[in-house]
Amino acid sequence: MIWYALLVAAVAGERVAELVVARRNERWSRARRAIVAGDGHYPAMVALHVGLLVGCPLEVWLGARPFVPALGWPMLAVLVGAQALRWWCIGTLGPRWNTRVIVVPGLPLVARGPYRLLRHPNYVAVVAEGVALPLVHTAWVTAVAFTVLNAAVLTVRVRCENQALAASVVA
């Protein structure tokens, strides 16, 4: 259980690093007259991600969930892949990446890196992580709860982001 708590703590540390990058990028964007959208759903998204990080070790501890190697090792590989995809997205978008919906008017859509393959690859990483992190240690209730709630949040988020991008892009 200790190693799993350390894994979840490492993912939480990664989230803190994301927030540092997002704050820096927000300053860059605001200096270029950025448009901020979707502040209404952002607290729910933050709460959901905090819930994932709290729920994983809590369920393992309270539910005495075992580590099942046939499930745990593949899910760990998915988790690592999700982190790699997320940082590929962050690197590709550079200062335009953010945890909030912030767009700089007039900039074209990014069509390189993972964005040449998918419109929202970062959300693929979020979905994969939300399933994989709990299932590394068979926290299936957390995996199901996060997945269902995340589907609702991402429905709102993607719609908001698409509208903001469409309104700000110069063809």
Side-chain angles (χ1 to χ4, degrees):
M1 169 61 185
I2 296 292
W3 69 268
Y4 185 64
L6 292 173
L7 175 65
V8 174
V11 172
E14 188 274 334
R15 285 291 181 281
V16 171
E18 283 182 28
L19 291 174
V20 169
V21 171
R23 297 293 181 260
R24 182 190 67 216
N25 291 350
E26 182 175 354
R27 288 189 299 275
W28 180 90
S29 296
R30 286 186 185 273
R32 288 156 180 79
R33 300 180 328 254
I35 297 167
V36 179
D39 278 344
H41 73 267
Y42 189 73
M45 190 176 78
V46 170
L48 181 60
H49 284 261
V50 169
L52 174 68
L53 296 171
V54 170
C56 286
L58 195 60
E59 181 181 348
V60 168
W61 181 58
L62 293 176
R65 302 284 192 243
F67 176 74
V68 177
L71 177 64
W73 292 121
M75 289 299 104
L76 183 60
V78 170
L79 179 64
V80 170
Q83 300 309 317
L85 177 57
R86 173 178 287 114
W87 284 97
W88 188 20
C89 293
I90 292 169
T92 299
L93 289 179
R96 294 167 63 176
W97 180 87
N98 210 292
T99 57
R100 296 181 178 274
V101 177
I102 302 176
V103 294
V104 177
L107 293 180
L109 291 177
V110 173
R112 64 184 189 287
Y115 294 90
R116 73 179 184 276
L117 305 171
L118 297 168
R119 184 157 170 99
H120 298 287
N122 191 67
Y123 301 139
V124 172
V126 170
V127 169
E129 179 186 76
V131 171
L133 181 61
L135 291 182
V136 165
H137 214 296
T138 64
W140 62 270
V141 172
T142 302
V144 169
F146 180 85
T147 298
V148 169
L149 294 171
N150 191 47
V153 170
L154 281 181
T155 298
V156 172
R157 173 68 174 219
V158 168
R159 186 177 303 125
C160 172
E161 192 169 307
N162 284 343
Q163 288 172 350
L165 288 169
S168 71
V169 172
V170 173

